[in-house]
Amino acid sequence: MANHASAKKRSRQNKIRNTVNSQYLSKFRTALNKLNSSVESKNQEEIQKSYSAVNSILAKALKKGIFKKENINFDVIKNAVLAAGTAPNGANLQPWHFVIIKNKSIKKKIRFAAEIEEADFYKNKAPKEWLEALKPLGTDKNKLFLEEAPYLIAIFEKKYSLKNKKKVKNYYVKESVGIATGILISCLHFSGLSMLTHTPSPMNFLNQILKRPNNEKPFVLLVVGKPKDNCKIPVFAEKKKAFSKIITIF
């Protein structure tokens, strides 16, 4: 009876958290839309207000930890991608495509292909200086996490779009996709999830496995899930530059 009551309590708590998650992500998308509009209008006062609103929502979510859940709700992934889709971009052509992967066999294919590229990188391609820089992080050619993580999100940049079988040039592609990726990562983090960026070089195997057209180029592969109980962040990775080291103020 006690176990049953505990299960019902956990279920009720999860429902409450999921509701709060949706509300916060909705607020975040609204704030981003306002920020986009203020940037387009070039109203500096509105830009500052909108920017502060976005930061406020992020800060509250991180401080309260309200998005941390035992299970990953697909709606959290969906809403994070929707938020990313509101990113400022060149001529509003939205030159991105997101592929969400949860199928085990496809994740296995991606891991197999990635490890081939990674083995070549560590053995033949990477200069000595690069390998030395990676040493403190403990990375190697083995990418088991690509299979273990519940979700992978492959982000593609569109060099050009196709409309009525005609090429449509996209502008500021990397900048646009980079901003969208940053928003997506932020949403995943304050949704209580952990993630890492994976960029094997080259990544064109993703086009083949995920059946993406030639006008799309892999930008980054996000590995999304919750960390294992014994998972630790390398001390080296927590050493971030101070505010005074990364800014110049006039």
Side-chain angles (χ1 to χ4, degrees), residues 22-38 50 53-54 57 79 82-83 86:
S22 297
Q23 291 173 348
Y24 261 80
L25 286 172
S26 177
K27 289 179 181 178
F28 187 61
R29 287 202 304 272
T30 300
L32 280 175
N33 286 332
K34 288 183 178 179
L35 177 59
N36 289 341
S37 297
S38 62
S50 300
V54 170
I57 293 170
N79 287 332
L82 285 172
T86 68

Side-chain angles (χ1 to χ4, degrees), residues 144-203:
L144 177 60
F145 55 79
L146 291 174
E147 281 193 76
E148 290 183 331
Y151 287 103
L152 304 178
I153 304 176
I155 303 173
F156 290 82
E157 58 179 272
K158 292 185 177 183
K159 296 174 284 185
Y160 59 88
S161 298
L162 294 171
K163 189 174 183 179
N164 298 324
K165 297 182 179 180
K166 291 184 178 180
K167 288 185 178 180
V168 178
K169 180 178 174 59
N170 290 326
Y171 301 93
Y172 298 105
V173 174
K174 287 191 179 298
E175 294 87 345
S176 300
V177 179
I179 293 170
T181 300
I183 291 172
L184 177 55
I185 290 172
S186 294
C187 286
L188 292 172
H189 277 167
F190 80 70
S191 294
L193 300 177
S194 296
M195 53 74 53
L196 61 83
T197 55
H198 184 51
T199 53
S201 181
M203 292 194 289

